[in-house]
Amino acid sequence: MQIKSLSVDGLKYHWQWYKHFFSLNYLRYFGTWFAISPIVANLTENSSRVNKICVGSVCAEYSVSLPFSWWLLWLGSLFFIVAFALYQIFCPKFIKDYSSFSDYERSRHSPRWAAWEAYYLVNDAQKSLAAYDLDKFVTRLTTKKYAQEIGEKIDESRVDVTTEQSVLKFSHAGKSYELAMPKMRSNNSGTPEIDDVATYEVVWEVFGRRASSYPCIRKTIYWLINLAWTTVIVVILQNIASTASLLYKQFLA
């Protein structure tokens, strides 16, 4: 099983990086052990007791024990399951659906859809100021000249659909703005065409704000995942030590 590392630096603990860790393989591994741990605990509760089994006149003694600490692996599974629950609750659906721009492209959305994704982000940010950095979103879009300040008073965010564009209109910090998608540009022959780069960058700005939401939750998940894998590594070392001890007693002692 390949274990990928996480880094707290830069973007490496944004939401999209956790998707791999909560794949079915990892969830099956930790979930299965979490479920069977009570059974294992009951079977090994009296591990020091020697049991006897007889077949006819032939008897053999045995004891039930594990070469590692079952409770340690159970604790690691608990860490992982709590991290998974936090991910399911707090990770934005946008990131679950599109963990990269390639995923977004494969959905074959109309270039107009970028205005709607921006609309949903603005609404969510206005409802939960601590989760999304709307200041940064507006600053980025206006700096890149994808959004413009307008004189119209906007009481509630909306998307106006015209023949050629879908236009998001919203207010922030006492000012009103509009974002029209898709952006158009002239090609070499002077014919207007859709500016794919603009669509990419607007979607990427939405992605960036979604991916960086709930920083405290993301950091908590980061440490829970690391604790879970630490317990796995300790258990592996316990297995190696136990096997080495048995081999020593068998061949060298």
Side-chain angles (χ1 to χ4, degrees), residues 35-36 43 45 98-99 117-118 158 181 183 196 226 231-232 237 243 251:
I36 68 174
L43 291 175
E45 183 177 4
Y98 319 115
S99 57
E117 291 293 357
R158 68 177 191 271
M181 296 301 296
K183 297 296 181 184
D196 292 329
N226 277 275
T231 62
V232 171
L237 293 176
T243 303
F251 299 105

Side-chain angles (χ1 to χ4, degrees), residues 82-102:
V82 172
F84 176 72
L86 290 173
Y87 174 82
Q88 288 296 102
I89 294 170
F90 291 99
C91 180
K93 186 177 183 299
F94 182 91
I95 301 299
K96 291 178 183 177
D97 292 340
Y98 319 115
S99 57
S100 68
F101 186 75
S102 297

